[in-house]
Amino acid sequence: MKLFKEAALEVDNRKLDEVSSASIISQLGMDSVAQMELVSWFEERLRVRIPDEELSKIRTISDLRDVLARLLPPGTQIAA
């Protein structure tokens, strides 16, 4: 959660206090541009590229974490 909150603050100047892994990203008050910037932030920060077909699967913070976990080297921990 900490990494996701950091990303939301940097990308959209949005301080998120009440989020969980089940939180739906589109319902956090970010517009579609901010959501894409959020994804880009994670790609840059974690040095991965999320394929377009994976983007459509990301609805919740947990979905984002799962997609990133599949793209990172085995054993890498993410606290999205």
Side-chain angles (χ1 to χ4, degrees):
M1 239 20 72
K2 181 181 176 190
L3 193 58
F4 186 86
K5 288 179 181 181
E6 179 183 336
L9 186 60
E10 283 188 34
V11 167
D12 200 38
N13 200 29
R14 187 167 301 277
K15 187 169 170 57
L16 300 173
D17 294 320
E18 301 291 324
V19 292
S20 71
S21 61
S23 295
I24 298 172
I25 297 170
S26 64
Q27 294 178 355
L28 297 176
M30 295 180 195
D31 63 20
S32 58
V33 172
Q35 291 176 46
M36 289 309 296
E37 289 176 357
L38 184 77
V39 169
S40 294
W41 186 93
F42 276 98
E43 288 179 325
E44 255 184 57
R45 181 75 176 254
L46 301 174
R47 294 183 176 97
V48 297
R49 169 74 174 97
I50 301 174
D52 291 342
E53 60 272 8
E54 293 289 329
L55 289 174
S56 63
K57 299 175 185 176
I58 300 172
R59 290 190 60 237
T60 66
I61 294 173
S62 179
D63 293 339
L64 175 61
R65 183 192 61 225
D66 293 347
V67 166
L68 291 169
R70 285 193 299 273
L71 297 171
L72 290 169
T76 304
Q77 295 291 319
I78 357 172

